Amino acid sequence: MKKVPYRFFLTEDQMPRQWYNLRADMKEQPDPMLNPQTGKPATEEDLYPVFCKELARQELDSTTRYIDIPEPILEMYRIYRPSPLIRAYNLEKALGTPARIYYKFEGNNTSGSHKLNSAIAQAYYAKEQGLTSLTTETGAGQWGTALAEACAYYHLPLTVYMVKGSYNQKPFRKAIIQTFGADVIPSPSDTTNAGRAILAEHPDTTGSLGCAISEAVEKAVTTEGCRYVLGSVLNQVLLHQSIIGLESKKAMELLDEYPDIIIGCAGGGSNLGGLIAPFMQDKLLGKADPRIVAVEPASCPSLTRGKYAYDYCDTGKITPMARMYTLGCGFIPSANHAGGLRYHGMSPILSKLYHDGYMEAVSVEQTKVFEAAVMFSKLETILPAPESSHAIRAAIDEALKCKETGEAKTILFGLTGTGYFDMTAYTSFLEGNMSDYIPTDEDLKRGFDGLPSIPGIQ
Amino acid sequence: MKKVPYRFFLTEDQMPRQWYNLRADMKEQPDPMLNPQTGKPATEEDLYPVFCKELARQELDSTTRYIDIPEPILEMYRIYRPSPLIRAYNLEKALGTPARIYYKFEGNNTSGSHKLNSAIAQAYYAKEQGLTSLTTETGAGQWGTALAEACAYYHLPLTVYMVKGSYNQKPFRKAIIQTFGADVIPSPSDTTNAGRAILAEHPDTTGSLGCAISEAVEKAVTTEGCRYVLGSVLNQVLLHQSIIGLESKKAMELLDEYPDIIIGCAGGGSNLGGLIAPFMQDKLLGKADPRIVAVEPASCPSLTRGKYAYDYCDTGKITPMARMYTLGCGFIPSANHAGGLRYHGMSPILSKLYHDGYMEAVSVEQTKVFEAAVMFSKLETILPAPESSHAIRAAIDEALKCKETGEAKTILFGLTGTGYFDMTAYTSFLEGNMSDYIPTDEDLKRGFDGLPSIPGIQ
C-alpha cells in the first residue's frame, strides 16, 4: 500500500459538483412530516411560511438522487473546501493500534465547523427568492456563526436565537456572530410567545435547541419577507452536508482506502448524515458493508434511549411533526458543554436508518469525551470542539479494540469543528470540576409523557 | 494565464526539506550580537546558558545557505503543513481592483499562527540535547500556545511568562496554553528579579514583551537543565520561519505567478522574515526586484520611527545586545490589541535589510486595521488575528492604489493567524470604543534616552 500523506486534499476539479440525496436509495422512506394543524402529511405549500421555496422542495424530494450545486454556492465552497482528510498517525502511534485512523476535518473555517456547508446553501436560496431577512437558532454557536458568515456575504439581515446557556458560557462566540453583523438574542427570551411561555414555567432555564427553534420560527412567520433556517435535523441540511461524505469517499478512493467503521457525533444529525451519505449508499445498494456509528452524549441520548415516534421539532410545538428518535420535545437536557448535541430529537432520515438496522449508536459521558479531546489535541495539534470529541472518543475506543484483536481496520471519523470557544469547558475539565449527568428513567418518562397523541397514528 | 484555484496546497513531496538562511546571501551581515558583560561579539559558548547548543549554532551561522530540516521535525510539519496559498478572489472583487491578491494562511493549526514552525524546531533540539524544561514569554499568546503544543508533544515541562495585558484580556488564550500542560505566569511577576524591579517602578503596568523576555531568561538561567526559547527576533527563528516563504514561492511558481509586492506584519519580524526569505534572496542576487513591505502598528513603530542602534532584546537588560531598529528597551508601548506586535525592537536581519534599502516599512493605526479585518472576515470567511490584519490593511491599500492606476499587480501577504482569542478587541471595535494611540516625539525620546552606551561603538 502506498504511503498515505498526513493530510490529503482533493484538487478543485476533483470536488463534488452535486449533493447526494440519500433518500433516493433508501428501501423504505422516513415517515412523512405531519402538518400540526391537520395531522396530514405536510405539503411543499405547508412549508412555505417557514422555508423558502427551493428549500421546501428539497425538504420533500425523496427521489432525485443527485442535485446540482449551483455555481455561486460552489464558488463559496471553494473558499474553504475541500476540507482535508487527515491520517491520524500520531494518535495511532500513541494508542499502539494496528488500525488506520482517518478523520475528515471540517473546522478550518471561521464558523469552526461543518455548519457553513448548509448555511451558504440556505442563505443563497433565500437571497435568490428575494427574501429580506432570516432567523435561526444556535446551540453551541457554530451554526449561528456559519449562518452569520453566509448572511454577511449575501447581505441578508439575520436574527440568531442563541441557547441561553451558550450565550452566557460563550461571550466570544456571541461576539463573533455579531462581528459578522447578526443580532443575537439569548433564548428563551421575551421577544416571542414561545419564549415567554417557557420563561413563565422555567424562569431559570438555560434553554435548549428546541426552545430556540420555537422562537426563531415564530419570529420568521410573523415577520414580512422573513424565513427560518435550521442547521440540522432537516432533510435539506443532510443533503447539503453530503459534501462531507462525498469528498471523504473520493479522497479515500484516491488513497486506495475504504472505511470499515465510520463514526460521527450526533446531535440533530447534520454532520453524521453528511459524512455517511455515500457510504450508506454503498450499504443500501449492497456494494459494501461498513459499520456506521452515531455517538451521542449520555446526557441527551435520543438514539440510544429515546422513542421512535412522531414529535415536534421544537419545544413550542409550532413546527411540523416528524417521526424520529426523540426524548420528547419537552425534555430539557442538563447543562452539558457540548451545546450542539443538546437536542431532543434526531434527523428523521437517520432515525429511520437506525430503526431499520443500518447503523449503530453509542452514548458517551462528557468527562470521557474531554479525556479524548485533550489527548487528541496534544497529538494532532487540533483543539477539537466538545461535540466533535464525542466522535474522537468512539474512534479511540474502536482503535483500542483493534489493538486487542490485532485487526488493522480502517476507521473514518468526522472532526466537525474546533473548540476555541469552548475553553470554559476545557478549564472545567482540567480543574476537575466537570461532572457527568445521565438522565434517570424518570427524567426520560417525563419527556415521553409529552409526546403528541395523533389519532390513527400514535 | 491558467485559472488559479482559491486555495492551493503543495503536495507532501513538494514541501521544502531545508530551511533557507537568508544571511548566506546578504551583501553585508547584520552587526554581531554583543555580550553584555564584555561588550565583545557573543560566541556560541556565550549563548549556551540561554539557548541549547544547536540553536546557538544556528543563531550565529551566517554562511550555511540551506540547513536540512531533521526528519522528526518534517514529520510534525506534515501534521499541519503545507499551509494553503489562497487567492483572495472575493476581496479582489469587493475592492474592484485589477490586482491579484494572494495570501499565505498560517492559522490552520491550534496555535492559530505561524509560530508553531519554530516552536517545533526549538522544542525538538532542546529534547535532543536532553534538557528537562523550557521557559518562554508570550505576548498575544500565539507563541505560548505553539510552544505549549510542541512541548506537550516532546514531553517537556514549560513555563510561559505571558504579558499581563494579554493574560487579563485573553483568559481563554491562557486556558488553551494550560490545556497543553504548560504553566502560565502573568508578567511582570514577583517570581524573578527582573519582574520585581519593573513592578516596583510601574506597579500598574500591563507589561510588555521585553519585560516578559527578561523574566523567562532569568528563570531559565537560574534553573538546572532549563533553557529559554524565543518566538521571534532571533536569527534562528527567521531560519525556521523560512518554510513559509519557501512554500509560498514554490506554490506561486506552480501557478506561474511571482509577487510584485510582498507584505507582512512586523512585531519582532518572525513572520515577515520567513515569508520574504526566498524572495529577498532573488532581490539580493539580482534575479527579481519585488517590493517588500513591513507593516507595524502606529503605537509601536520600531522601523518607521525607531533608531538603528545596539540595544538589549529585553527590558531587564540581561540578554545580549543586538543592533536593530529599536524604540529603546525601556519603551513600554500603550495598550494595543495586537499584543504580538508590541515589541520595542526588530529582527537584526530585517533591520539591516531595511537599513540597506532592501525593504520598506509603513505604520498603521489600529482602527484602520480592524476595519480591514472585519471586511476581510466577511469576504474570505477567515477571522484574522489583529496582528495579521496589519498586513491585510496594507494589502488592501496597495490593491486600491492598483485600482487607481489600473495596474494588475500581484500582491502576496502573510496571514499569520486567526483572531478567535481576540474577540474582546473585535467587540471594542464594533462598539466604537477602540482608540488609536500614536506615541509623541517626547514618548520616543524617553525610550531612546535609555539606549545603552557602548564604548567605541555607540
Side-chain angles (χ1 to χ4, degrees):
Chain A
M1 184 176 293
K2 64 183 168 189
K3 164 82 171 146
V4 169
Y6 278 80
R7 302 186 311 149
F8 185 75
F9 291 91
L10 299 178
T11 59
E12 239 176 47
D13 50 10
Q14 291 169 333
M15 280 176 67
R17 303 182 64 86
Q18 296 180 310
W19 292 305
Y20 166 59
N21 184 1
L22 188 49
R23 282 167 291 170
D25 287 310
M26 286 172 72
K27 308 276 186 256
E28 292 179 25
Q29 287 300 309
D31 292 289
M33 276 200 290
L34 301 181
N35 182 319
Q37 269 89 48
T38 64
K40 299 251 165 64
T43 64
E44 260 183 60
E45 289 70 21
D46 287 344
L47 301 179
Y48 288 169
V50 183
F51 301 134
C52 75
K53 288 183 181 175
E54 174 58 21
L55 292 169
R57 200 197 63 68
Q58 291 182 3
E59 189 60 30
L60 298 186
D61 182 348
S62 60
T63 55
T64 314
R65 184 167 282 109
Y66 293 101
I67 293 178
D68 285 342
I69 305 174
E71 186 56 34
I73 295 178
L74 284 174
E75 288 282 308
M76 279 296 281
Y77 277 177
R78 289 185 196 117
I79 293 177
Y80 69 100
R81 303 201 69 79
S83 69
L85 179 74
I86 305 181
R87 173 80 181 266
Y89 281 114
N90 282 358
L91 180 61
E92 289 172 17
K93 201 165 117 190
L95 295 174
T97 179
R100 292 189 300 283
I101 308 175
Y102 291 88
Y103 56 99
K104 180 70 166 167
F105 179 42
E106 292 287 320
N108 276 348
N109 64 75
T110 290
S111 77
S113 79
H114 67 294
K115 293 293 189 186
L116 198 53
N117 303 328
S118 186
I120 288 169
Q122 297 197 49
Y124 168 79
Y125 288 123
K127 190 72 179 181
E128 281 291 289
Q129 190 178 319
L131 298 179
T132 51
S133 67
L134 292 175
T135 69
T136 197
E137 83 298 328
T138 198
Q142 279 99 333
W143 169 248
T145 308
L147 191 64
E149 282 183 62
C151 285
Y153 188 71
Y154 292 112
H155 303 286
L156 271 170
L158 171 68
T159 303
V160 178
Y161 287 91
M162 186 168 186
V163 175
K164 196 177 277 176
S166 290
Y167 185 93
N168 293 329
Q169 257 178 21
K170 301 184 172 187
F172 293 167
R173 181 56 90 173
K174 172 187 62 181
I176 196 169
I177 298 174
Q178 290 167 331
T179 299
F180 284 107
D183 276 338
V184 186
I185 298 175
S187 168
S189 75
D190 61 4
T191 65
T192 64
N193 291 329
R196 285 186 290 268
I198 294 271
L199 282 175
E201 204 175 338
H202 304 283
D204 297 325
T205 179
T206 52
S208 69
L209 276 176
C211 167
I213 292 172
S214 295
E215 294 203 79
V217 171
E218 182 180 329
K219 173 83 175 174
V221 299
T222 57
T223 305
E224 179 71 25
C226 184
R227 292 293 186 283
Y228 165 71
V229 295
L230 176 61
S232 192
V233 183
L234 297 173
N235 300 338
Q236 58 188 269
V237 176
L238 266 69
L239 175 72
H240 306 148
Q241 295 295 358
S242 68
I243 190 87
I244 304 173
L246 292 165
E247 281 185 10
S248 300
K249 190 168 177 226
K250 177 88 180 169
M252 294 197 92
E253 275 167 15
L254 293 169
L255 298 173
D256 289 330
E257 283 277 27
Y258 194 92
D260 298 302
I261 311 172
I262 304 154
I263 298 169
C265 64
S270 71
N271 150 68
L272 181 69
L275 175 68
I276 69 174
F279 302 104
M280 183 61 86
Q281 180 183 35
D282 287 349
K283 197 157 169 142
L284 290 164
L285 301 179
K287 290 185 182 173
D289 193 24
R291 284 177 55 207
I292 293 178
V293 183
V295 191
E296 55 185 16
S299 60
C300 196
S302 53
L303 286 173
T304 50
R305 296 177 69 197
K307 284 201 174 164
Y308 188 49
Y310 267 106
D311 197 5
Y312 295 93
C313 298
D314 66 322
T315 309
K317 305 184 180 185
I318 59 177
T319 61
M321 289 178 286
R323 188 157 180 222
M324 58 184 175
Y325 279 86
T326 178
L327 299 165
C329 69
F331 179 83
I332 295 196
S334 75
N336 180 306
H337 292 293
L341 304 181
R342 297 180 69 209
Y343 182 64
H344 66 275
M346 179 60 62
S347 144
I349 293 175
L350 295 182
S351 292
K352 176 67 177 165
L353 290 165
Y354 178 63
H355 188 66
D356 290 351
Y358 288 100
M359 49 183 264
E360 310 163 30
V362 293
S363 74
V364 289
E365 293 166 24
Q366 75 170 345
T367 52
K368 295 284 179 196
V369 166
F370 273 84
E371 265 175 29
V374 171
M375 177 186 188
F376 182 85
S377 70
K378 290 181 180 177
L379 291 165
E380 295 289 322
T381 79
I382 291 172
L383 188 85
E387 293 80 4
S388 323
S389 303
H390 285 68
I392 298 174
R393 174 76 266 167
I396 289 175
D397 291 344
E398 290 292 342
L400 290 174
K401 280 185 216 159
C402 287
K403 186 180 182 177
E404 277 180 29
T405 62
E407 290 171 289
K409 289 187 179 167
T410 300
I411 298 170
L412 168 65
F413 72 89
L415 190 70
T416 52
T418 52
Y420 302 127
F421 294 92
D422 300 286
M423 294 320 299
T424 305
Y426 271 93
T427 299
S428 153
F429 172 73
L430 291 171
E431 291 175 350
N433 298 328
M434 182 173 278
S435 60
D436 290 315
Y437 168 76
I438 302 176
T440 64
D441 290 341
E442 267 309 300
D443 294 333
L444 294 186
K445 186 173 177 303
R446 274 194 296 277
F448 297 145
D449 287 346
L451 285 171
S453 160
I454 311 170
I457 297 182
Q458 75 183 27
Chain B
M1 184 174 295
K2 65 184 168 188
K3 163 85 170 142
V4 169
Y6 278 80
R7 303 186 311 148
F8 185 75
F9 291 91
L10 299 177
T11 60
E12 239 176 47
D13 49 9
Q14 290 169 333
M15 280 175 66
R17 304 182 64 86
Q18 296 180 310
W19 292 306
Y20 166 59
N21 184 1
L22 188 49
R23 282 167 292 170
D25 287 310
M26 287 172 72
K27 307 275 186 258
E28 291 180 23
Q29 287 300 308
D31 292 288
M33 276 201 288
L34 301 182
N35 181 320
Q37 269 89 47
T38 64
K40 298 253 165 64
T43 63
E44 258 183 63
E45 289 70 22
D46 287 344
L47 301 179
Y48 288 169
V50 182
F51 301 134
C52 76
K53 289 181 180 175
E54 174 58 21
L55 292 168
R57 200 196 63 68
Q58 292 181 4
E59 190 60 31
L60 299 186
D61 181 349
S62 61
T63 55
T64 314
R65 185 168 282 108
Y66 293 100
I67 294 179
D68 286 342
I69 306 173
E71 185 56 35
I73 294 178
L74 284 175
E75 288 281 308
M76 279 295 281
Y77 277 177
R78 289 184 195 118
I79 293 176
Y80 69 100
R81 305 201 69 80
S83 68
L85 180 73
I86 306 181
R87 174 79 182 266
Y89 282 114
N90 282 357
L91 180 61
E92 289 172 17
K93 202 165 117 190
L95 295 174
T97 177
R100 292 189 300 283
I101 308 176
Y102 290 88
Y103 57 100
K104 180 71 167 166
F105 179 42
E106 292 287 319
N108 276 348
N109 64 74
T110 290
S111 77
S113 79
H114 68 294
K115 294 290 188 186
L116 197 53
N117 302 329
S118 187
I120 288 169
Q122 296 197 50
Y124 168 79
Y125 288 123
K127 189 71 178 182
E128 281 291 289
Q129 190 177 317
L131 297 178
T132 50
S133 67
L134 292 175
T135 69
T136 197
E137 84 298 328
T138 198
Q142 279 100 332
W143 170 247
T145 307
L147 191 64
E149 282 184 63
C151 285
Y153 188 71
Y154 291 112
H155 303 287
L156 271 170
L158 171 67
T159 302
V160 178
Y161 287 89
M162 186 169 186
V163 174
K164 197 177 276 175
S166 290
Y167 185 94
N168 293 329
Q169 256 178 21
K170 301 184 172 186
F172 293 167
R173 181 57 90 173
K174 172 186 62 179
I176 196 168
I177 299 174
Q178 290 167 332
T179 299
F180 284 106
D183 277 338
V184 186
I185 298 175
S187 168
S189 76
D190 61 3
T191 65
T192 64
N193 291 330
R196 286 186 289 267
I198 295 272
L199 282 175
E201 204 174 339
H202 305 284
D204 298 326
T205 178
T206 52
S208 68
L209 276 176
C211 168
I213 292 173
S214 294
E215 294 203 79
V217 171
E218 183 180 328
K219 172 82 174 176
V221 299
T222 57
T223 305
E224 179 71 25
C226 184
R227 292 294 185 283
Y228 165 70
V229 295
L230 177 61
S232 192
V233 183
L234 297 173
N235 301 338
Q236 57 188 269
V237 176
L238 266 69
L239 176 71
H240 306 148
Q241 295 296 357
S242 67
I243 190 88
I244 303 173
L246 292 165
E247 280 185 11
S248 301
K249 190 169 177 224
K250 176 86 182 172
M252 294 197 92
E253 276 167 14
L254 293 169
L255 299 173
D256 290 329
E257 283 278 25
Y258 194 92
D260 298 301
I261 311 172
I262 303 155
I263 298 169
C265 64
S270 71
N271 151 69
L272 182 68
L275 175 68
I276 69 174
F279 302 104
M280 184 60 86
Q281 179 183 35
D282 287 349
K283 196 157 171 143
L284 290 164
L285 301 180
K287 291 185 181 172
D289 194 23
R291 284 178 56 208
I292 293 177
V293 183
V295 191
E296 55 185 15
S299 60
C300 196
S302 53
L303 285 172
T304 50
R305 296 177 68 199
K307 286 200 173 165
Y308 188 48
Y310 267 105
D311 196 5
Y312 295 93
C313 298
D314 65 322
T315 310
K317 306 186 179 183
I318 60 178
T319 61
M321 289 178 287
R323 189 158 180 221
M324 58 185 176
Y325 279 87
T326 179
L327 299 166
C329 69
F331 179 83
I332 294 196
S334 76
N336 180 307
H337 292 294
L341 304 181
R342 297 180 68 210
Y343 183 64
H344 66 275
M346 180 58 63
S347 145
I349 293 175
L350 294 183
S351 292
K352 176 67 177 165
L353 290 166
Y354 178 64
H355 188 68
D356 291 351
Y358 289 100
M359 48 184 264
E360 310 163 30
V362 294
S363 73
V364 289
E365 293 165 25
Q366 74 171 345
T367 51
K368 294 283 179 197
V369 166
F370 272 84
E371 265 174 29
V374 170
M375 178 187 189
F376 182 84
S377 70
K378 289 181 180 177
L379 292 164
E380 294 289 321
T381 78
I382 290 172
L383 187 84
E387 294 80 4
S388 323
S389 303
H390 285 68
I392 297 174
R393 175 75 266 167
I396 288 175
D397 291 344
E398 291 292 342
L400 290 174
K401 280 184 217 159
C402 287
K403 185 180 182 176
E404 277 179 30
T405 63
E407 290 171 289
K409 288 188 180 167
T410 300
I411 298 171
L412 168 66
F413 72 89
L415 190 70
T416 52
T418 52
Y420 302 126
F421 294 92
D422 299 288
M423 295 320 300
T424 304
Y426 272 93
T427 299
S428 153
F429 172 74
L430 291 172
E431 292 175 350
N433 298 327
M434 182 173 278
S435 60
D436 289 315
Y437 168 78
I438 302 176
T440 63
D441 289 342
E442 267 309 300
D443 293 334
L444 294 185
K445 185 173 178 302
R446 272 194 297 277
F448 297 145
D449 286 347
L451 285 171
S453 159
I454 310 169
I457 297 181
Q458 74 183 27

